[in-house]
Amino acid sequence: MEVSSKPSSNFDPGNYTEVNDLITQIPSKVQIQDITMELHCPLCNDWFQDPLMLTCGHNFCQACIQNFWKRQVKEIFCPECKMMCQYSNCTFNLVLEKLVEKIKKLPLLKSHPQCPEHGENLKLFSKPDGKLICFQCKDVRLSMGQSKEFLQLSDAVHFFMEELTIYQGQLEATLKELQSLKNMQQDAIAAYKVRSRVEGL
Ligand SMILES: [Zn+2]
Ligand SMILES: [Zn+2]
Ligand SMILES: [Zn+2]
């Protein structure tokens, strides 16, 4: 693939098709993360919103760079490379905006697992089901008069951590028992060896 000599955050139409190629090839998670990084504003670390491109080629959300410049007294410069900029020379980066829209829709980037039935975020843990469910699942179960044992995710984590601690304690006790059994067995074997040597004489 052709390597562009321009900074990677500078999306010209050439780079645009290059990134599109990556998407059709089903990029790896690392590649997705790389692309995602490029589509995040260095000031707010979130997806670009109304990205403005400065004369140096760096991009920022319009609101972010305006806020940043409000705090400057006289000269305005790029927060990334410190190059002097004029607001009138900044342009909206429509290509970048479209890219952000496209990439955000990729299923790989959905950070929260979704309910296969309702498409909502899985935010509850159902104890009787032993799995994560969404709020709609909960309503369905409640309307059917089923068990009301739902846990918020953080509570579920807490609950299982406690269970784990109990299991760990039980395991450690069992391990100790096994260890002492093994010692007893070794003693018995040693005693047997001594006895058979004595008897053999
Ligand atoms: Zn921003
Ligand atoms: Zn810059
Ligand atoms: Zn559901």
Side-chain angles (χ1 to χ4, degrees):
M1 201 172 280
E2 200 186 308
V3 179
S4 169
S5 58
K6 287 178 185 175
S8 50
S9 58
N10 189 359
F11 282 100
D12 60 20
N15 273 351
Y16 183 51
T17 35
E18 198 173 296
V19 174
N20 255 342
D21 283 349
L22 282 178
I23 293 164
T24 48
Q25 284 166 20
I26 307 177
S28 72
K29 239 191 164 153
V30 177
Q31 281 173 313
I32 284 278
Q33 274 166 357
D34 277 354
I35 299 167
T36 306
M37 279 279 291
E38 295 291 344
L39 299 180
H40 275 59
C41 161
L43 288 176
C44 64
N45 283 319
D46 209 340
W47 297 101
F48 281 119
Q49 234 183 340
D50 306 321
L52 263 190
M53 187 164 78
L54 313 192
T55 35
C56 57
H58 284 119
N59 295 280
F60 307 92
C61 310
Q62 186 188 24
C64 289
I65 193 68
Q66 281 179 343
N67 263 331
F68 179 82
W69 282 340
K70 245 183 236 166
R71 286 183 261 125
Q72 316 297 314
V73 186
K74 271 187 250 158
E75 295 147 330
I76 58 171
F77 56 89
C78 167
E80 286 285 284
C81 66
K82 314 287 179 224
M83 197 174 119
M84 293 299 162
C85 297
Q86 276 185 318
Y87 187 66
S88 54
N89 286 339
C90 299
T91 46
F92 275 106
N93 197 334
L94 290 176
V95 178
L96 192 53
E97 193 173 14
K98 279 198 186 122
L99 258 180
V100 170
E101 275 169 27
K102 276 199 169 189
I103 301 260
K104 268 165 90 173
K105 281 187 197 140
L106 284 181
L108 269 170
L109 287 174
K110 282 184 181 160
S111 54
H112 215 285
Q114 314 260 311
C115 171
E117 220 176 307
H118 306 108
E120 275 189 29
N121 285 350
L122 297 171
K123 285 189 168 170
L124 293 168
F125 181 79
S126 162
K127 270 214 258 179
D129 293 272
K131 64 172 189 178
L132 295 173
I133 59 167
C134 76
F135 281 102
Q136 280 200 50
C137 292
K138 177 189 151 190
D139 291 341
V140 170
R141 280 162 176 73
L142 285 180
S143 68
M144 285 163 66
Q146 286 182 357
S147 160
K148 290 171 189 163
E149 283 191 276
F150 306 114
L151 291 173
Q152 295 280 349
L153 275 192
S154 53
D155 293 336
V157 170
H158 192 74
F159 171 76
F160 281 110
M161 286 302 283
E162 275 178 0
E163 290 240 304
L164 265 178
T165 314
I166 294 167
Y167 283 136
Q168 198 183 359
Q170 286 173 350
L171 268 177
E172 273 166 10
T174 313
L175 201 69
K176 256 186 201 162
E177 233 168 274
L178 274 174
Q179 193 65 48
S180 70
L181 271 176
K182 198 178 146 198
N183 288 342
M184 276 166 65
Q185 214 172 13
Q186 274 172 345
D187 288 349
I189 291 169
Y192 174 78
K193 275 185 183 162
V194 169
R195 204 171 59 226
S196 57
R197 210 182 309 149
V198 171
E199 281 168 3
L201 279 173

